[in-house]
Amino acid sequence: MLLFIAGDCLAHGRSAGGSDAGLDIPEISHGEMAVISDYRRGIIALASQAVDTNEPFRRILNYAEIQYSYCLWGRMPGSVTDEESPFNECAHAYLAATKAVLMAMRDMPREAQVAGEIISAVDADMVGRGLTLITCRFSGETFNTADIIKPRWSQVPLHFASMASLTALAALFGLGVFALRRFLRPKVQSSE
């Protein structure tokens, strides 16, 4: 029983046995997260089209995409804005990596202008929304490409928005399976 609990506890944070060969990713504040999440799609699209890249850039971009999928593609309510969300730390990880990718593109000849425009828009948006000084318990945390940050699944039942979303998703899936079975069931003809 103790081994199960210990293993479950390790699964809630950084991956166990991660390599020390990963690349460090600077922290991101809670306020930056809220704004970077709005620009994420454009940043990743620009980075994906970048031609003059290096291995560290590609590794951080890959990490951003992996973390995004671990965080259920940013679809959990409150994952970015609610510090108590079981998905908040993994959202910090993928958004910190997204920010690192954006900052690296400032030094790329073909992407520098667009990256600079996005950075200016992010800065203006943060100031306009009053988010420049907003922090949370994960704001000072740095990340590493060797460590995958997983959602804190054991806290989902304690977080109403996450529990409601996953319950609704499970109900929709169940209804879909039920409807598909009814649709595919052979029709029995009466003998009368």
Side-chain angles (χ1 to χ4, degrees):
M1 184 65 146
L2 290 176
L3 289 175
F4 175 74
I5 292 170
D8 195 38
C9 289
L10 284 175
H12 298 308
R14 298 176 186 269
S15 63
S19 169
D20 291 336
L23 300 172
D24 288 331
I25 299 169
E27 73 275 351
I28 187 170
S29 72
H30 203 68
E32 286 176 304
M33 271 181 60
V35 177
I36 292 284
S37 68
D38 293 341
Y39 291 88
R40 184 196 167 280
R41 183 173 291 164
I43 294 166
I44 296 300
L46 180 64
S48 297
Q49 295 171 359
V51 178
D52 189 22
T53 64
N54 56 29
E55 183 185 350
F57 177 82
R58 290 188 300 272
R59 286 174 63 186
I60 292 173
L61 176 59
N62 186 49
Y63 179 79
E65 293 287 70
I66 290 168
Q67 276 300 147
Y68 188 60
S69 66
Y70 265 95
C71 290
L72 301 181
W73 303 276
R75 300 293 185 231
M76 292 305 291
S79 62
V80 172
T81 57
D82 183 2
E83 181 180 352
E84 298 304 318
S85 169
F87 294 86
N88 188 254
E89 185 178 20
C90 69
H92 266 273
Y94 79 78
L95 290 169
T98 302
K99 177 186 170 190
V101 164
L102 175 63
M103 300 310 271
M105 286 190 293
R106 290 184 307 182
D107 300 326
M108 295 179 175
R110 294 183 182 157
E111 290 77 22
Q113 181 181 353
V114 176
E117 291 169 3
I118 294 172
I119 291 168
S120 294
V122 166
D123 283 341
D125 205 357
M126 283 182 61
V127 170
R129 291 166 55 181
L131 298 174
T132 54
L133 299 176
I134 306 298
T135 61
C136 76
R137 67 181 172 195
F138 301 118
S139 291
E141 185 174 350
T142 58
F143 299 96
N144 189 292
T145 57
D147 296 324
I148 300 297
I149 307 301
K150 298 175 183 170
R152 299 178 188 278
W153 291 106
S154 65
Q155 293 179 2
V156 168
L158 305 174
H159 188 255
F160 178 76
S162 297
M163 190 63 187
S165 293
L166 291 175
T167 301
L169 182 63
L172 283 174
F173 180 75
L175 285 173
V177 168
F178 177 74
L180 187 61
R181 288 185 72 191
R182 282 188 56 93
F183 179 73
L184 295 176
R185 182 181 296 157
K187 305 229 188 260
V188 178
Q189 296 179 359
S190 65
S191 58
E192 291 179 34

